[in-house]
Amino acid sequence: MLAATGVAFTNVPVDTPEDLAALRASGKLPFDQMPLLEIEGECLSQSSAMIRYLARRGGLYGANDTDAMWCDMVVGVTADFAETAIQAAFKPSADVAIADLEVRFAKFGPRFEARIEEQGSGFCAADTMTFADVVLAEALSSYLEWCPDILSGTPRLAALFKAITTQPDVAAYLNSDLRYGRPDDEYVIAAARVLQRALPAHMPDAERFVV
Ligand SMILES: N[C@@H](CCC(=O)N[C@@H](CS)C(=O)NCC(=O)O)C(=O)O
């Protein structure tokens, strides 16, 4: 959403439990949780609030209440759809992750396709691009990291994905070092280490970071 609304930004990685403790001690986390978006002197928590704040600020919440309702509906269902992709790196194997993603896509992909057809603009919520298209494209990018051909049977969804990811600011972001790659075991281990949580049960010594 930062890229889609033309806001230059930096990522500040939290690599160690000490980094997280320092961030907590800084008082910048309103609810003691990550992620944190620092923008114009404000410290924002909750990714859905950040996304909507950026959408309003960038004029991507549609032109009226009906558009906004469709944005919220599509973003809500996209969260359900994206959950499987967020969990993929935590699965026992890539084959299991891909099988789960295919099942989830079989449920939602045709619904997204039908919604785009019904809308008629090529976008999913309104006559023009909204943050719902950006959020949906982000979720699709995660699916494509695991299943590169997954959009082959949904041409409208594929066209929406292309329309969003070829926006100049979005394309520049996707091709930059700011864009994280597909999460791997290293990411899963780093997240458990920083948050001092258990690893997925299939990993050796799964409790090794639990304090
Ligand atoms: N619902 C929140 C996610 C909040 C969350 O689960 N944050 C985790 C890290 S991804 C965290 O800070 N956990 C530590 C804690 O809750 O104390 C969002 O979408 O931003």
Side-chain angles (χ1 to χ4, degrees):
M1 282 300 295
L2 288 162
T5 55
V7 181
F9 65 97
T10 54
N11 282 333
V12 181
V14 176
D15 288 328
T16 65
E18 292 75 25
D19 286 350
L20 179 56
L23 184 57
R24 286 188 156 135
S26 74
K28 287 183 175 178
L29 301 179
F31 297 101
D32 204 38
Q33 287 183 304
M34 295 185 293
L36 164 68
L37 173 63
E38 282 189 84
I39 182 167
E40 294 170 340
E42 299 285 345
C43 290
L44 277 68
S45 179
Q46 292 293 329
S47 43
S48 61
M50 298 169 193
I51 288 166
R52 285 175 168 80
Y53 176 69
L54 292 167
R56 288 193 187 89
R57 202 174 164 275
L60 289 184
Y61 222 127
N64 52 47
D65 287 348
T66 303
D67 288 356
M69 177 271 292
W70 272 105
C71 286
D72 287 337
M73 210 185 324
V74 173
V75 169
V77 74
T78 301
D80 297 336
F81 172 65
E83 198 179 358
T84 310
I86 292 166
Q87 291 168 352
F90 297 85
K91 298 288 168 162
S93 71
D95 285 349
V96 173
I98 289 167
D100 287 354
L101 288 163
E102 287 174 347
V103 168
R104 201 65 168 165
F105 190 87
K107 175 176 171 63
F108 285 113
R111 306 290 169 138
F112 287 129
E113 185 77 359
R115 169 58 198 160
I116 298 165
E117 182 174 15
E118 176 192 56
Q119 212 301 319
S121 63
F123 297 109
C124 63
D127 289 342
T128 55
M129 176 178 134
T130 65
F131 80 107
D133 301 299
V134 178
V135 171
L136 180 54
E138 173 66 50
L140 292 172
S141 80
S142 298
Y143 272 73
L144 289 164
E145 285 173 342
W146 295 88
C147 312
D149 298 326
I150 201 133
L151 298 182
S152 58
T154 50
R156 291 178 183 83
L157 204 46
L160 181 147
F161 179 75
K162 188 173 176 193
I164 301 305
T165 53
T166 55
Q167 299 270 324
D169 285 343
V170 174
Y173 157 67
L174 292 174
N175 291 317
S176 75
D177 291 342
L178 288 166
R179 179 68 176 181
Y180 293 123
R182 176 175 128 175
D184 54 13
D185 281 358
E186 207 178 312
Y187 159 83
V188 171
I189 291 168
R193 188 177 62 240
V194 170
L195 293 169
Q196 300 185 308
R197 283 188 181 161
L199 289 159
H202 68 273
M203 287 189 159
D205 193 10
E207 299 288 316
R208 74 184 101 147
F209 299 118
V210 177
V211 176

mmCIF file of all heavy atoms in Angstrom, residues 24 32-35 45-48 50 195 197, ligand 1:
data_model
loop_
_atom_site.group_PDB
_atom_site.id
_atom_site.type_symbol
_atom_site.label_atom_id
_atom_site.label_comp_id
_atom_site.label_asym_id
_atom_site.label_seq_id
_atom_site.Cartn_x
_atom_site.Cartn_y
_atom_site.Cartn_z
ATOM 1 N N ARG A 24 9.934 -2.452 22.100
ATOM 2 C CA ARG A 24 8.870 -2.376 23.118
ATOM 3 C C ARG A 24 9.164 -1.258 24.117
ATOM 4 O O ARG A 24 8.279 -0.495 24.494
ATOM 5 C CB ARG A 24 8.738 -3.709 23.841
ATOM 6 C CG ARG A 24 8.062 -4.753 22.975
ATOM 7 C CD ARG A 24 7.761 -6.025 23.745
ATOM 8 N NE ARG A 24 6.670 -6.732 23.113
ATOM 9 C CZ ARG A 24 6.646 -8.044 22.886
ATOM 10 N NH1 ARG A 24 7.651 -8.799 23.256
ATOM 11 N NH2 ARG A 24 5.606 -8.587 22.295
ATOM 12 N N ASP A 32 1.718 -3.035 22.028
ATOM 13 C CA ASP A 32 2.823 -3.944 22.344
ATOM 14 C C ASP A 32 3.002 -5.035 21.280
ATOM 15 O O ASP A 32 3.527 -6.102 21.566
ATOM 16 C CB ASP A 32 2.611 -4.580 23.732
ATOM 17 C CG ASP A 32 3.943 -5.042 24.337
ATOM 18 O OD1 ASP A 32 4.947 -4.336 24.158
ATOM 19 O OD2 ASP A 32 3.962 -6.123 24.940
ATOM 20 N N GLN A 33 2.546 -4.772 20.057
ATOM 21 C CA GLN A 33 2.658 -5.759 18.985
ATOM 22 C C GLN A 33 3.284 -5.131 17.749
ATOM 23 O O GLN A 33 3.147 -3.935 17.506
ATOM 24 C CB GLN A 33 1.269 -6.254 18.574
ATOM 25 C CG GLN A 33 0.586 -7.173 19.556
ATOM 26 C CD GLN A 33 -0.739 -7.635 18.994
ATOM 27 O OE1 GLN A 33 -1.581 -6.818 18.642
ATOM 28 N NE2 GLN A 33 -0.920 -8.930 18.897
ATOM 29 N N MET A 34 3.930 -5.975 16.966
ATOM 30 C CA MET A 34 4.331 -5.594 15.610
ATOM 31 C C MET A 34 3.209 -6.044 14.665
ATOM 32 O O MET A 34 2.413 -6.898 15.062
ATOM 33 C CB MET A 34 5.628 -6.292 15.233
ATOM 34 C CG MET A 34 6.801 -5.863 16.083
ATOM 35 S SD MET A 34 8.324 -6.617 15.476
ATOM 36 C CE MET A 34 8.056 -8.351 15.812
ATOM 37 N N PRO A 35 3.168 -5.591 13.441
ATOM 38 C CA PRO A 35 4.073 -4.613 12.847
ATOM 39 C C PRO A 35 3.784 -3.194 13.329
ATOM 40 O O PRO A 35 2.745 -2.916 13.917
ATOM 41 C CB PRO A 35 3.773 -4.748 11.346
ATOM 42 C CG PRO A 35 2.345 -5.175 11.274
ATOM 43 C CD PRO A 35 2.142 -6.060 12.475
ATOM 44 N N SER A 45 -0.446 0.626 14.725
ATOM 45 C CA SER A 45 -0.471 -0.816 14.939
ATOM 46 C C SER A 45 -1.601 -1.388 14.084
ATOM 47 O O SER A 45 -2.453 -0.641 13.606
ATOM 48 C CB SER A 45 -0.743 -1.076 16.425
ATOM 49 O OG SER A 45 -0.798 -2.444 16.708
ATOM 50 N N GLN A 46 -1.601 -2.714 13.914
ATOM 51 C CA GLN A 46 -2.632 -3.443 13.179
ATOM 52 C C GLN A 46 -2.558 -3.168 11.667
ATOM 53 O O GLN A 46 -2.884 -2.075 11.189
ATOM 54 C CB GLN A 46 -4.041 -3.149 13.695
ATOM 55 C CG GLN A 46 -4.278 -3.693 15.100
ATOM 56 C CD GLN A 46 -4.265 -5.228 15.154
ATOM 57 O OE1 GLN A 46 -4.646 -5.881 14.190
ATOM 58 N NE2 GLN A 46 -3.820 -5.777 16.266
ATOM 59 N N SER A 47 -2.148 -4.184 10.932
ATOM 60 C CA SER A 47 -1.950 -3.997 9.496
ATOM 61 C C SER A 47 -3.230 -3.556 8.792
ATOM 62 O O SER A 47 -3.176 -2.752 7.846
ATOM 63 C CB SER A 47 -1.384 -5.272 8.869
ATOM 64 O OG SER A 47 -2.032 -6.404 9.372
ATOM 65 N N SER A 48 -4.400 -4.023 9.256
ATOM 66 C CA SER A 48 -5.635 -3.609 8.563
ATOM 67 C C SER A 48 -5.884 -2.110 8.745
ATOM 68 O O SER A 48 -6.381 -1.437 7.836
ATOM 69 C CB SER A 48 -6.834 -4.423 9.051
ATOM 70 O OG SER A 48 -7.033 -4.224 10.428
ATOM 71 N N MET A 50 -3.467 0.119 9.165
ATOM 72 C CA MET A 50 -2.451 0.782 8.323
ATOM 73 C C MET A 50 -2.914 0.830 6.872
ATOM 74 O O MET A 50 -2.817 1.864 6.199
ATOM 75 C CB MET A 50 -1.137 0.006 8.376
ATOM 76 C CG MET A 50 -0.515 -0.062 9.748
ATOM 77 S SD MET A 50 0.842 -1.274 9.732
ATOM 78 C CE MET A 50 1.108 -1.443 11.489
ATOM 79 N N LEU A 195 10.321 -13.769 18.465
ATOM 80 C CA LEU A 195 9.106 -13.742 19.283
ATOM 81 C C LEU A 195 9.175 -14.711 20.461
ATOM 82 O O LEU A 195 8.255 -14.762 21.274
ATOM 83 C CB LEU A 195 7.888 -14.060 18.412
ATOM 84 C CG LEU A 195 7.564 -13.000 17.358
ATOM 85 C CD1 LEU A 195 6.526 -13.513 16.375
ATOM 86 C CD2 LEU A 195 7.091 -11.700 17.992
ATOM 87 N N ARG A 197 8.963 -17.955 20.515
ATOM 88 C CA ARG A 197 7.839 -18.876 20.398
ATOM 89 C C ARG A 197 8.323 -20.234 19.934
ATOM 90 O O ARG A 197 9.439 -20.377 19.446
ATOM 91 C CB ARG A 197 6.858 -18.354 19.341
ATOM 92 C CG ARG A 197 6.023 -17.221 19.851
ATOM 93 C CD ARG A 197 4.950 -16.882 18.847
ATOM 94 N NE ARG A 197 4.153 -15.777 19.309
ATOM 95 C CZ ARG A 197 3.397 -15.028 18.531
ATOM 96 N NH1 ARG A 197 3.359 -15.262 17.239
ATOM 97 N NH2 ARG A 197 2.689 -14.050 19.037
HETATM 98 N N1 LIG B 1 -3.408 -8.535 13.875
HETATM 99 C C1 LIG B 1 -2.094 -7.928 13.833
HETATM 100 C C2 LIG B 1 -1.016 -8.950 14.079
HETATM 101 C C3 LIG B 1 -0.432 -8.768 15.442
HETATM 102 C C4 LIG B 1 0.565 -9.832 15.766
HETATM 103 O O1 LIG B 1 0.217 -11.002 15.876
HETATM 104 N N2 LIG B 1 1.840 -9.437 15.928
HETATM 105 C C5 LIG B 1 2.884 -10.351 16.359
HETATM 106 C C6 LIG B 1 4.054 -10.362 15.409
HETATM 107 S S1 LIG B 1 3.547 -10.692 13.770
HETATM 108 C C7 LIG B 1 3.400 -9.830 17.684
HETATM 109 O O2 LIG B 1 3.750 -8.687 17.817
HETATM 110 N N3 LIG B 1 3.422 -10.727 18.658
HETATM 111 C C8 LIG B 1 3.943 -10.419 19.949
HETATM 112 C C9 LIG B 1 2.866 -10.117 20.935
HETATM 113 O O3 LIG B 1 1.674 -10.105 20.576
HETATM 114 O O4 LIG B 1 3.207 -9.890 22.082
HETATM 115 C C10 LIG B 1 -1.853 -7.255 12.488
HETATM 116 O O5 LIG B 1 -2.457 -7.677 11.494
HETATM 117 O O6 LIG B 1 -1.071 -6.318 12.416
#
